[in-house]
Amino acid sequence: MQRLLIKSAIAIAAISTALFSANAAFAGQDNKPGTDATYIGAGVSAGVTNGGQTGDAATFGGNIQGRFAVPEAPVSVRGAILFSDETSALMPIVSYDIPITNNANVYVGGGYSFVEADGQPTPLGNRNSVVLTAGAEAQFGDSIIVYGDTKWGIDAYQNSSADALSFQGGVGYKF
């Protein structure tokens, strides 16, 4: 438990530093509008870590992700489902969005991963865990969104203190 608290504190400190640095970089400049798209998309997901136990191998699968952009605020409510051929992990996430160009954002956020079948592999581990994310999204035309992100599941494997890391990419539809 103490190790989880230390990891969480380090992660929060890293995210806070990134947010303050990004705000300082944009201070005094005209902020680009980024994208305020609310969308749902699908794509691939690749777990790149191993929990060290049988059934903990890195897992390839898919993702379904969505974003609800909170009007007039730099935050979004996101949802993600990372799935393998055995089960899926459902993730509610809140993110801080930073515009980088017209129609594109980077974001950092945090939430929780709920594994449907505890002990079965998903691209982000095999048990419920705190999840941190960082990614980018860009809007093309009126309705196409391309996104990619990294998700870090803290203490995300059963019978192991290992963390999980996965990479996602996909295409979404703005509505």
Side-chain angles (χ1 to χ4, degrees):
M1 183 62 161
Q2 193 173 31
R3 185 174 178 189
L4 176 61
L5 291 174
I6 291 169
K7 286 181 181 181
S8 297
I10 291 169
I12 290 168
I15 289 173
S16 297
T17 301
L19 292 176
F20 289 126
S21 298
N23 282 338
F26 283 107
Q29 297 180 7
D30 292 334
N31 284 346
K32 305 270 191 244
T35 180
D36 62 353
T38 294
Y39 65 87
I40 188 159
V44 297
S45 184
V48 295
T49 53
N50 184 323
Q53 306 292 319
T54 301
D56 287 352
T59 302
F60 185 78
N63 76 74
I64 299 171
Q65 297 194 134
R67 173 190 186 219
F68 173 75
V70 177
E72 304 301 318
V75 296
S76 295
V77 177
R78 297 174 185 271
I81 301 171
L82 305 186
F83 56 89
S84 68
D85 59 347
E86 296 185 44
T87 193
S88 58
L90 310 168
M91 289 165 241
I93 296 171
V94 175
S95 70
Y96 182 82
D97 307 326
I98 304 162
I100 54 171
T101 65
N102 286 336
N103 296 323
N105 296 332
V106 294
Y107 58 89
V108 294
Y112 202 79
S113 172
F114 299 94
V115 175
E116 287 188 300
D118 220 23
Q120 298 300 313
T122 73
L124 195 66
N126 64 6
R127 78 170 181 181
N128 299 347
S129 66
V130 171
V131 63
L132 301 175
T133 188
E137 58 204 357
Q139 181 175 337
F140 295 93
D142 291 334
S143 58
I144 302 298
I145 305 292
V146 175
Y147 64 87
D149 68 18
T150 300
K151 288 185 174 41
W152 173 27
I154 299 172
D155 198 20
Y157 291 99
Q158 283 188 341
N159 303 318
S160 172
S161 61
D163 294 345
L165 187 68
S166 66
F167 299 102
Q168 288 66 233
V171 177
Y173 180 77
K174 177 184 174 183
F175 54 93

